[in-house]
């Protein structure tokens, strides 16, 4: 039997002979490794999970014209292709046209209805979302619904000059509409629209009339012109600022910027959560070290006679030290492996319950968790090993 084989046999026999104490130490290491692995996985995944969560509360990036000129459809498509390189939830163009209903100003808002739905899933819609293919269906804000007494299925007529500079909308009968069309002549349009949904957001959207941007262009008999673009991008403030610089460098006629109230809130919450996770990890590691150190101290006390006998037979302190550290490393290795599997299950459960989303297993964390567990266990064994090396063979063998 070689020296290495003898060493391994001594370590394994020592672990097997003291099952109760070693199981306690192993459980402490496994629990510590589980919490450490789980929290590190959560720590790593928090930016993605929190980014998705914040994306449920609206756009975090806007693009506006730099001057009086609006953004053309071609410009929008080019900018969209640049933005889509990133992890994008939605890119919604907006065109605003003023209308008057009962002599009161309201806003017709043309947009991409699918992208708006992606950007703003928090909108409460009574009825149905308008689709981009709708030719006469619109969504109106709750305030407009109350003021004009418009309900789902009601119709109203939008009228105004074809140039789009002045739009007048009124709720009226079909006969009155036809009469009005004849009086207005070819320079004006008249379009009957149907309320498909009523929007409740608690914000300015409740005072808007939303319709597909293509439909608004057809009503005005005008090319698509865009007043602004709202984007929902899964990125932090630094990445959004870089995206803004890229877009402005690409197109000098636009201004791009993050929505600070959203990005700053996200960064603040993210920073606090990550600090909290880090502190909990440190506390767990310290408690694991204390638990392992206490257990190993008890093992040293039990093995005083054995250690004294080994020294009396010529064993060096370095050999005693290697044996105890080997036992600690073995416990750390086994506990680390258990912690990797249990830690992923722990992180998965937390993610599903808190964020409602699953996470992916991070293979890089597996060896790191095992190595950290072995390191922590080895450090926890240093003080008990020091006490073991201080044992005097003569005193122990005399029974003192």
């Amino acid at each position: 039997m070689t020296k290495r084989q003898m060493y391994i046999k001594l370590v394994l026999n020592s672990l097997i002979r003291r099952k109760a104490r070693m199981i306690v130490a192993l459980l402490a290491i496994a629990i510590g490794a589980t919490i450490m692995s789980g929290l590190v996985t959560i720590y790593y995944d928090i930016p993605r999970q929190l980014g998705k969560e914040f994306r449920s509360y609206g756009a975090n990036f806007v693009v506006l014209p730099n001057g009086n000129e609006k953004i053309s459809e071609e410009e929008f498509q080019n900018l969209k292709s640049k933005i889509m390189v990133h992890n994008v939830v939605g890119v919604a163009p907006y065109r605003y046209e003023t209308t008057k209903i009962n002599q009161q100003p309201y806003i017709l808002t043309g947009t991409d209805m699918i992208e708006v739905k992606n950007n703003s899933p928090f909108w409460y819609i009574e009825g149905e979302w308008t689709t981009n293919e709708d030719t006469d269906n619109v969504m109106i804000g709750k305030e407009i619904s109350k003021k004009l007494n418009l309900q789902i299925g009601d119709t109203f007529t939008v009228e105004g000059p074809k140039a789009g500079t002045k739009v007048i909308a009124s709720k009226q009968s079909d006969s009155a509409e036809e009469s009005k069309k004849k009086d207005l002549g070819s320079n004006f349009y008249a379009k009957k629209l149907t309320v498909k949904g009523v929007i409740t957001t608690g914000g300015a959207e409740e005072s808007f009339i939303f319709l597909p941007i293509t439909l608004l262009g057809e009503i005005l008999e005008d090319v698509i012109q865009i007043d602004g673009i709202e984007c929902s991008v899964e990125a932090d403030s630094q990445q959004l600022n870089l995206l803004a610089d890229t877009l402005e460098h690409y197109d000098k006629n636009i201004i791009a910027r993050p929505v600070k109230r959203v990005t700053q809130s996200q960064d603040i919450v993210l920073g606090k959560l990550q600090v909290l996770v880090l502190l909990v990890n440190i506390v767990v590691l310290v408690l694991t070290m204390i638990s392992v150190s206490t257990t190993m101290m008890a093992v040293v006390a039990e093995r005083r006679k054995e250690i004294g006998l080994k020294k009396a037979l010529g064993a060096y302190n370095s050999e005693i030290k290697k044996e105890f550290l080997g036992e600690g490393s073995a416990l750390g290795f086994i506990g680390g492996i258990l912690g990797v599997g249990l830690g992923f299950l722990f992180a998965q459960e937390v993610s599903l319950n808190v964020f409602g989303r699953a996470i992916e297993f991070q293979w890089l964390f597996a060896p790191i968790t095992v190595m950290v567990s072995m390191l922590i266990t080895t450090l926890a064994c240093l003080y008990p090993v020091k006490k073991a090396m201080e044992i005097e063979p003569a005193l122990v063998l005399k029974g003192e």
Side-chain angles (χ1 to χ4, degrees), residues 295-360:
T295 303
M296 295 305 291
M297 281 294 292
V299 171
V300 169
E302 284 183 0
R303 297 172 61 183
R304 290 181 77 250
K305 290 185 178 180
E306 177 188 332
I307 296 169
L309 180 59
K310 286 182 178 179
K311 284 190 173 184
L313 293 175
Y316 294 106
N317 281 338
S318 59
E319 293 173 338
I320 303 295
K321 181 179 179 180
K322 286 180 182 178
E323 185 177 340
F324 275 96
L325 293 180
E327 292 174 18
S329 297
L331 289 173
F333 180 76
I334 298 170
I337 291 176
L338 291 174
V340 169
L342 295 175
F344 174 71
L345 296 177
F346 167 69
Q348 186 78 279
E349 194 66 24
V350 170
S351 183
L352 288 173
N353 282 280
V354 176
F355 298 106
R357 301 183 183 92
I359 60 175
E360 296 180 358

Side-chain angles (χ1 to χ4, degrees), residues 55 58-65 71 79 83 90-94 96 119 226-233 240-241 243-245 247-248 254-263:
R55 296 291 58 74
N60 62 341
F61 190 81
V62 295
V63 179
L64 302 171
I71 300 172
L79 291 170
I83 298 171
V91 180
Y94 284 88
Y96 303 101
N119 280 354
I226 297 169
D227 293 297
I229 305 168
E230 291 189 2
C231 311
S232 184
V233 185
L240 291 176
N241 286 326
L243 174 60
D245 293 339
L247 294 180
E248 290 182 356
I254 59 100
I255 299 173
R257 60 172 181 264
V259 181
K260 289 187 177 180
R261 61 182 175 83
V262 177
T263 55

Side-chain angles (χ1 to χ4, degrees), residues 144-255:
I144 295 179
S145 173
K146 288 180 179 179
K147 289 180 179 179
L148 300 180
N149 194 26
L150 288 171
Q151 305 298 326
I152 297 172
D154 289 349
T155 59
F156 61 96
T157 301
V158 176
E159 297 178 346
K162 290 182 180 180
T165 56
K166 185 178 182 182
V167 182
I168 302 175
S170 60
K171 186 178 180 181
Q172 52 187 310
S173 65
D174 291 347
S175 58
E177 176 189 343
E178 293 299 323
S179 175
K180 188 72 174 177
K181 285 181 182 178
K182 292 178 182 178
D183 295 337
L184 290 175
S186 59
N187 291 328
F188 291 81
Y189 63 83
K191 177 70 175 178
K192 183 187 290 185
L193 300 174
T194 302
V195 179
K196 189 175 183 179
V198 178
I199 304 168
T200 302
T201 66
E205 295 84 4
E206 292 190 4
S207 299
F208 293 169
I209 301 172
F210 289 87
L211 67 165
I213 193 168
T214 52
L215 175 58
L216 181 57
E218 291 173 4
I219 292 174
L220 299 175
E221 295 190 10
D222 194 9
V223 296
I224 294 179
Q225 301 178 69
I226 297 169
D227 293 297
I229 305 168
E230 291 189 2
C231 311
S232 184
V233 185
E234 292 182 14
D236 56 29
S237 57
Q238 185 176 358
Q239 292 169 323
L240 291 176
N241 286 326
L242 182 61
L243 174 60
D245 293 339
T246 302
L247 294 180
E248 290 182 356
H249 180 75
Y250 172 75
D251 189 343
K252 302 296 183 182
N253 297 321
I254 59 100
I255 299 173

